[in-house]
Amino acid sequence: MWTLGDLFILILVIAAVGIWVRHDQFRRRALGLARRATEKADVQLLDQSVSLRRVGLARDDRGWPQLTRRFGFEFSRRGYDRFRGHVDFAGDHVAEVELDLGDPHWRHERD
């Protein structure tokens, strides 16, 4: 027979799996958007990956709270420099895709 504690643990496990699956869906969307943005800008996406940088709450147009996510990635113009970019989600919608084409945060000086 199931106890109340067993049911609570089962609910926690199911919730954790649901959160992980949802996060993976956003990560895959962010990676696809980063690939398209770097291809369009004719730069190279480094490591072929994105990483979760920030999770927060913000209000939508109607004043309701919504979850925001920022996934970061790095890209290169010439293969030896590194620049940062990010993909922002507000709720389920893409809020922004940005490539920081300013000064690289890491630069290899050539001789």
Side-chain angles (χ1 to χ4, degrees):
M1 188 51 73
W2 289 72
T3 65
L4 190 58
D6 293 338
L7 290 175
F8 182 71
I9 290 172
L10 180 63
I11 290 170
L12 284 178
V13 169
I14 291 170
V17 169
I19 290 169
W20 180 80
V21 167
R22 186 78 169 138
H23 167 73
D24 191 55
Q25 291 172 342
F26 276 101
R27 186 192 60 77
R28 288 174 189 261
R29 281 179 64 195
L31 181 57
L33 291 165
R35 281 184 178 144
R36 277 184 251 142
T38 54
E39 286 172 3
K40 185 176 180 181
D42 196 28
V43 295
Q44 177 186 5
L45 178 63
L46 299 176
D47 304 326
Q48 298 301 310
S49 66
V50 295
S51 62
L52 184 65
R53 298 271 168 90
R54 184 178 0 174
V55 176
L57 287 174
R59 296 199 180 270
D60 64 7
D61 296 337
R62 297 171 296 171
W64 290 92
Q66 65 181 357
L67 198 60
T68 60
R69 296 170 177 88
R70 173 171 281 187
F71 288 88
F73 59 92
E74 293 184 338
F75 63 94
S76 176
R77 284 184 177 169
R78 295 177 206 92
Y80 60 86
D81 52 0
R82 286 183 173 264
F83 296 87
R84 290 187 178 171
H86 65 265
V87 177
D88 290 344
F89 292 99
D92 291 340
H93 305 287
V94 178
E96 179 180 49
V97 178
E98 184 175 324
L99 302 176
D100 181 10
L101 294 170
D103 289 331
H105 70 276
W106 176 86
R107 182 179 296 148
H108 174 74
E109 297 296 331
R110 297 182 114 177
D111 293 327

